[in-house]
Amino acid sequence: MASYLVIKLGALGDVVMASAILAELKIQQSGNTVTWITGKAARPLLERMNLVDEIITVDEHAVLDGSLLKKISVVASVFIKLFGRKFDVCLIPYRDWRYHLLRLGARCTTVRSFRGNRGLIPGRYHAFEYIRLASGRDSSSEDEITIPHVSFSQAIQTPQVLLAPGCPSPTATDKIRQWPLEHYVHLARLLCEHGYSVGLIGMDTTDLLEKAFCGIPVTSYINKTTIDELLQLLGGARLLVAHDSGPIHLMKLAGGACVNLFGPTLASEKVKPSPHHIVLQSPVAIPCMPCYDGKTYAACTDNICMKKIQPQAVFLAVQSYFSTNFHKPYEAGKEA
């Protein structure tokens, strides 16, 4: 028995991969307690896993990008909640020292992070790295990764193929890894012309996303879903097409298949290849690809690595998947 404090805010995809820690500490072992500090967006996912004993929510944006006053406010609020408490192990799966500020109120016998000799091994699937940090045990790339099951309502009738094009006005870093919107539109047209039902998922504050697909018979769920409803949609769909973003990881939780589009980031770090997780990259060797070092992207003004992935190639991958898979792809949470 041991008490663990986990500090992992991050985007939804990062938290999904880090949840392999819970399978290690709560399923493979017993009696351990886990307190998890996370961001507001990821809290519903952790709640649905039913493996975290206590969840402390913070404003993840304020920790790194907020004003000094906001940073102090966040650290102080966590300090008060943890003050005087003792944990056997504190896991901070980051390289950035600033996340350590969130543990100042607690007494931790052991602190492990991705700093120093425990740094992330480049190119390895991050779920393996999270398990290595939590247990000290290395894993083989042939090992099975268990992502905790997420309970959500019964899957509903949804389109066969879901597309996650992302925000039309993304941040600079998101724009680099985003597949061009016009490519998503072209793909949607091809799919509809060949009889596939197509749906759109995501968030958009510009109202430009749905307009881009005007005239194509797609079903839009843009800005219309909670986390639970999104998992229902993913669970009911046969296939997701998305670039490196949160939906590809949520699809793992929902037990579905995905065509993953990668360019500036290493696919091997985010996706464990399988017949249900197809990875497509530029067919042309581009010297600067990948350009993400785990913390920052190169100063790229033209993400040619993503533009080179043609809609026709993605369409053929979708066709190939449907021609060889007729049943539910695989059990949610299992990555063979």
Side-chain angles (χ1 to χ4, degrees):
M1 283 177 54
S3 56
Y4 287 82
L5 174 64
V6 179
I7 301 175
K8 184 61 178 176
L9 314 184
L12 291 176
D14 292 330
V15 172
V16 170
M17 289 188 288
S19 69
I21 289 174
L22 294 174
E24 181 71 22
L25 300 180
K26 301 285 284 188
I27 298 176
Q28 302 299 331
Q29 305 173 37
S30 62
N32 294 327
T33 62
V34 175
T35 295
W36 193 305
I37 300 175
T38 193
K40 296 177 182 178
R43 184 183 182 102
L45 288 180
L46 293 175
E47 288 176 337
R48 285 164 174 75
M49 290 176 185
N50 296 317
L51 291 173
V52 182
D53 299 279
E54 178 186 11
I55 301 174
I56 298 175
T57 307
V58 301
D59 182 349
E60 59 264 50
H61 301 295
V63 174
L64 295 181
D65 303 320
S67 64
L68 178 60
L69 184 60
K70 287 185 176 180
K71 286 183 172 69
I72 293 174
S73 176
V74 170
V75 172
S77 67
V78 178
F79 182 91
I80 292 171
K81 292 175 182 176
L82 296 180
F83 183 71
R85 296 174 60 180
K86 185 177 184 302
F87 296 91
D88 295 304
V89 182
C90 178
L91 302 176
I92 309 177
Y94 289 103
R95 292 186 292 182
D96 195 318
W97 64 269
R98 288 174 290 183
Y99 291 100
H100 288 256
L101 297 174
L102 295 175
R103 67 174 177 87
L104 292 181
R107 291 179 297 151
C108 303
T109 304
T110 301
V111 178
R112 302 174 192 157
S113 69
F114 287 141
R115 294 170 61 81
N117 59 4
R118 287 198 182 93
L120 283 163
I121 298 175
R124 289 192 72 191
Y125 183 37
H126 282 176
F128 284 129
E129 297 300 278
Y130 292 128
I131 291 174
R132 181 170 62 91
L133 185 70
S135 66
R137 171 179 58 81
D138 205 357
S139 303
S140 164
S141 59
E142 301 302 318
D143 290 348
E144 184 181 84
I145 290 290
T146 299
I147 301 296
H149 175 71
V150 172
S151 59
F152 57 93
S153 304
Q154 185 70 29
I156 58 177
Q157 186 66 36
T158 61
Q160 294 169 294
V161 182
L162 292 176
L163 308 181
C167 181
S169 299
T171 63
T173 54
D174 285 342
K175 187 174 182 179
I176 293 175
R177 60 183 177 175
Q178 196 170 62
W179 200 41
L181 179 56
E182 58 269 25
H183 283 10
Y184 275 110
V185 172
H186 188 176
L187 174 63
R189 186 175 292 110
L190 284 172
L191 291 169
C192 290
E193 288 174 352
H194 286 78
Y196 295 97
S197 56
V198 178
L200 306 176
I201 60 172
M203 302 297 291
D204 177 23
T205 58
T206 67
D207 294 326
L208 297 176
L209 199 53
E210 290 181 327
K211 291 179 181 178
F213 291 85
C214 184
I216 305 174
V218 299
T219 302
S220 176
Y221 302 96
I222 302 295
N223 297 335
K224 298 176 183 176
T225 59
T226 63
I227 286 291
D228 188 67
E229 291 167 340
L230 180 55
L231 287 170
Q232 288 183 62
L233 286 172
L234 293 168
R238 290 287 307 282
L239 190 65
L240 170 72
V241 177
H243 53 271
D244 181 14
S245 55
I248 67 175
H249 302 284
L250 294 179
M251 194 54 157
K252 297 173 190 175
L253 296 181
C258 184
V259 175
N260 307 270
L261 311 176
F262 277 83
T265 52
L266 275 172
S268 61
E269 295 181 346
K270 306 297 181 68
V271 177
K272 192 169 187 289
S274 77
H276 308 295
H277 287 283
I278 304 155
V279 172
L280 294 183
Q281 294 178 296
S282 169
V284 179
I286 301 173
C288 60
M289 187 181 82
C291 67
Y292 180 64
D293 65 1
K295 187 175 181 180
T296 57
Y297 291 83
C300 179
T301 58
D302 183 20
N303 62 338
I304 189 172
C305 59
M306 296 302 291
K307 293 176 179 177
K308 286 290 186 181
I309 305 174
Q310 294 300 312
Q312 184 68 31
V314 181
F315 172 71
L316 292 175
V318 171
Q319 274 195 321
S320 176
Y321 177 81
F322 275 94
S323 68
T324 55
N325 295 271
F326 301 100
H327 304 290
K328 190 65 179 175
Y330 66 103
E331 181 184 350
K334 294 293 185 180
E335 297 192 58

